[in-house]
Amino acid sequence: MKTDTPTAGAAPTCAAVRRGRPRSEAAELAIFTAVEDLMAGGANLSELTIEGIATAAGVGKATIYRRWPNKEALLVDVVSRLEIAMPESTGVSARDDLVAMIDYMRRRGLAKRSRWILKAAFGQMHSLPELHKAYYERVVRPRREAALALVRRAVDEGVLRADLDIELLGDLLMGPILYRSILWDDSDLEDPELAGKMIDALLDGLAPGA
């Protein structure tokens, strides 16, 4: 008669499952670290290969391909991992969330200046169309959509004018910090109050009835 009582061999199987996650995380960390180390050693993104990364990480190529379909997908995850995480919406007010978004971009700009690997990755990405496309679809587009969602909320709350195109409003709000963090290399991004100053100045001009 069959019962639900586990067999003697069940415990090792469960233990193996429990041990699988740390091994998986350790392998991914080794792969990420290998890419960063290779770049720190002067390797260009175009020069990196799955075989070379696997060798540097001490794993097999199959271990990488189980996690990423190609090099581009892996590199997107490496660059994303180096970046500062986007802030969660507080829901307190559209103005506060817009300030948080701009401050995130300010801190991201500082990180790109201070972290050579991140700066090198962004500098080389435009010469690699497949990588640039993958990064845009997986990272840039979702962040832009999140920013535009905040703009729509600000319009709904009456903070921003409703007679202007949403994407234009987004460009007007995000443009100044992008200019300072990407095009103006020695701009003052150290000021923690910069985001608030920018948003308040823009809201004064873009508020209904301004």
Side-chain angles (χ1 to χ4, degrees), residues 6-76:
T7 63
T13 301
C14 293
V17 170
R18 285 195 297 269
R19 289 194 298 270
R21 183 175 296 275
R23 284 203 299 269
S24 175
E25 291 174 351
E28 288 187 3
L29 179 59
I31 293 164
F32 287 142
T33 301
V35 175
E36 293 172 26
D37 288 347
L38 287 168
M39 289 187 65
N44 293 323
L45 294 179
S46 59
E47 297 171 344
L48 296 177
T49 64
I50 294 295
E51 183 175 7
I53 294 168
T55 299
V59 302
K61 289 191 293 183
T63 301
I64 295 179
Y65 281 120
R66 278 197 297 270
R67 292 161 174 78
W68 297 278
N70 49 47
K71 183 181 80 170
E72 287 74 19
L74 166 58
L75 293 180
V76 167

Side-chain angles (χ1 to χ4, degrees), residues 99 102-104 106-107 110 188-197:
V99 169
I102 298 301
D103 192 60
Y104 156 74
R106 177 189 70 83
R107 291 181 289 110
L110 281 173
D188 181 17
L189 295 178
E190 302 285 351
D191 182 3
E193 303 299 322
L194 180 62
K197 294 174 184 176

